[in-house]
Amino acid sequence: MRFSLLIILLISSIPVFAQKSNSVSIFDTLYHQDEIHITLTYPFDSLYKTQMEDVEAMISIETASGILLDASSITLNLRGKFRRMKCTMPPLMLNFKKSALKALNLSSVDEMKLVTHCIDGPEGHNNLEEERLIYQVYETLTPISYRTIWTKVTYCDVNKNYDCIVSVGFLLEPDKVLSKRLDMEERKLYNIAEDSVDFASYSNAVAYNFLIGNRDWSIVSSRNAKLFYDHQMRKYVVIPYDFDYSNIVGASYRREILTKPMTHPYDRIYEGEYFKPRAGEILKTFYGFEQTIIDAVNNSINPIDAERRKRICKYFDSWFLLVKRNKPRDLEFGIVCEYAGGL
């Protein structure tokens, strides 16, 4: 009787254990690994035929702990219309086979963005390091942010005797993984009402984009900022992403139109579309993150060199000085932080 009862208990526990192990995504698995190396094998010319959206490929993933995937079938989805036209390597969505994830006892979240180099050579690598650093710094300020994973990437061409290109990139936390981590629901909306927006997350997003000199974002047009609904607050939190047009990155391919009274491409202007009367409050509150931000720039694990970290800190210093010297009422919508060197 006792033996039968034990068997019943063991059998009934199996789905519970399976459910727990299957709740871990491939992103979370890699997030806790070191020395990640991804190899993608596919016909190179397929990435430059703009009529094609999906490319069949093979992927291998190796970490310091060993091989996670070895020549597994995958689909590459091409992202970014502008960058597909202008860049050597367009951004990619890695679409894993659910069967491969299941075999690894991982969750069924099968899509993951790979941010790739746009320009060949040192500039492209530097741009990636700087953009990744922007994500890393923001992650130290709030958990309501995207996590990233740095990776070495090797691209091999099946049409040219498997000639390979070695580069770098970073993986961006999938929306489904982020939604689960924050217990929120991602929703795509345009021109959302101000009273539906969470003030704290919006404040962080708008002040941070002002600090780094990024104007390529808007929750009105749902551009480079996503909304996640918090059912407890009954508000939408704002999470910015895609910072390659920021002044910190300073990518040579970006298109920048200066808004008066800006006079220099590295000037910064406050363009918060929401809570305009509270702009001073937003910036003064964000000023409290100064030391956290400087420490994150200096100490984040990133290949970026010490000299570039120093220049970024100097660029940030002029912004913090502007906020410190002005009273809240003078920190209005449209205020400009003029470029004073650094980058």
Side-chain angles (χ1 to χ4, degrees):
M1 180 68 178
R2 289 181 180 177
F3 181 76
S4 300
L5 180 60
L6 179 60
I7 294 295
I8 292 171
L9 289 173
L10 286 173
I11 292 173
S12 64
S13 69
I14 290 173
V16 176
F17 291 134
Q19 184 176 7
K20 286 184 178 179
S21 57
N22 283 334
S23 66
V24 179
S25 68
I26 189 169
F27 179 88
D28 285 313
T29 299
L30 292 172
Y31 189 72
H32 299 289
Q33 296 291 324
D34 297 316
E35 300 176 24
I36 297 166
H37 182 191
I38 294 175
T39 301
L40 294 172
T41 305
Y42 59 93
F44 277 12
D45 60 1
S46 61
L47 291 187
Y48 308 106
K49 296 177 181 178
T50 55
Q51 73 270 21
M52 295 184 66
E53 295 295 333
D54 301 331
V55 176
E56 296 303 316
M58 303 295 287
I59 186 170
S60 297
I61 303 178
E62 185 173 0
T63 74
S65 300
I67 296 174
L68 181 65
L69 285 173
D70 186 16
S72 177
S73 179
I74 194 174
T75 301
L76 304 178
N77 304 115
L78 309 188
R79 303 190 300 114
K81 292 181 180 178
F82 171 77
R83 289 191 60 179
R84 284 174 62 181
M85 293 186 293
K86 300 294 183 180
C87 295
T88 300
M89 181 65 65
L92 300 173
M93 178 72 80
L94 308 181
N95 194 335
F96 295 86
K97 302 299 181 184
K98 291 186 184 294
S99 57
L101 298 177
K102 185 177 181 180
L104 293 171
N105 213 21
L106 297 174
S107 76
S108 60
V109 179
D110 58 347
E111 292 186 338
M112 188 161 55
K113 292 179 182 178
L114 173 62
V115 182
T116 58
H117 66 276
C118 174
I119 301 168
D120 288 333
E123 181 185 352
H125 286 208
N126 290 345
N127 290 163
L128 283 170
E129 292 169 4
E130 289 155 348
E131 185 176 8
R132 167 96 193 296
L133 183 67
I134 294 172
Y135 279 102
Q136 289 175 298
V137 173
Y138 197 66
E139 189 181 344
T140 67
L141 307 182
T142 172
I144 303 175
S145 55
Y146 280 103
R147 296 179 294 166
T148 58
I149 300 171
W150 187 255
T151 179
K152 178 182 175 181
V153 188
T154 299
Y155 305 92
C156 295
D157 189 356
V158 297
N159 290 338
K160 291 188 177 180
N161 298 319
Y162 292 89
D163 286 347
C164 298
I165 298 170
V166 178
S167 186
V168 292
F170 61 88
L171 301 166
L172 191 65
E173 182 176 18
D175 289 337
K176 290 180 180 178
V177 174
L178 188 149
S179 295
K180 181 179 179 181
R181 173 168 63 87
L182 299 179
D183 192 21
M184 298 178 186
E185 178 188 351
E186 194 262 330
R187 296 180 182 177
K188 188 165 185 177
L189 300 170
Y190 298 90
N191 203 24
I192 185 174
E194 183 176 277
D195 60 6
S196 297
V197 177
D198 169 55
F199 177 73
S201 64
Y202 180 80
S203 297
N204 287 335
V206 69
Y208 190 65
N209 275 300
F210 183 22
L211 171 70
I212 65 176
N214 181 41
R215 300 170 57 210
D216 187 30
W217 80 288
S218 168
I219 64 172
V220 170
S221 59
S222 187
R223 185 176 77 256
N224 296 336
K226 291 202 174 183
L227 298 171
F228 290 79
Y229 188 70
D230 187 315
H231 290 273
Q232 291 186 340
M233 291 194 303
R234 297 183 179 180
K235 297 279 187 179
Y236 290 92
V237 302
V238 181
I239 306 183
Y241 67 99
D242 201 354
F243 303 110
D244 62 322
Y245 268 34
S246 69
N247 292 344
I248 296 300
V249 176
S252 60
Y253 57 80
R254 74 172 182 170
R255 299 170 296 182
E256 184 75 354
I257 299 175
L258 301 185
T259 299
K260 291 183 179 180
M262 297 174 68
T263 59
H264 192 282
Y266 285 169
D267 284 350
R268 287 164 282 188
I269 186 169
Y270 182 85
E271 295 180 315
E273 301 157 319
Y274 291 80
F275 307 106
K276 289 182 182 180
R278 302 177 70 178
E281 174 189 351
I282 289 172
L283 297 178
K284 285 292 187 181
T285 299
F286 195 81
Y287 176 80
F289 287 124
E290 179 180 17
Q291 194 57 52
T292 302
I293 290 171
I294 298 303
D295 288 345
V297 172
N298 287 323
N299 300 321
S300 292
I301 299 174
N302 187 306
I304 192 169
D305 61 58
E307 179 58 34
R308 279 189 290 154
R309 293 177 195 254
K310 184 178 178 180
R311 293 201 304 268
I312 292 170
C313 287
K314 183 178 179 181
Y315 187 66
F316 285 170
D317 285 343
S318 62
W319 187 93
F320 284 114
L321 188 61
L322 171 76
V323 177
K324 180 181 179 180
R325 286 179 173 176
N326 282 275
K327 294 180 178 180
R329 66 172 180 269
D330 298 320
L331 296 169
E332 300 176 323
F333 176 86
I335 188 172
V336 171
C337 180
E338 296 180 353
Y339 181 55
L343 297 181

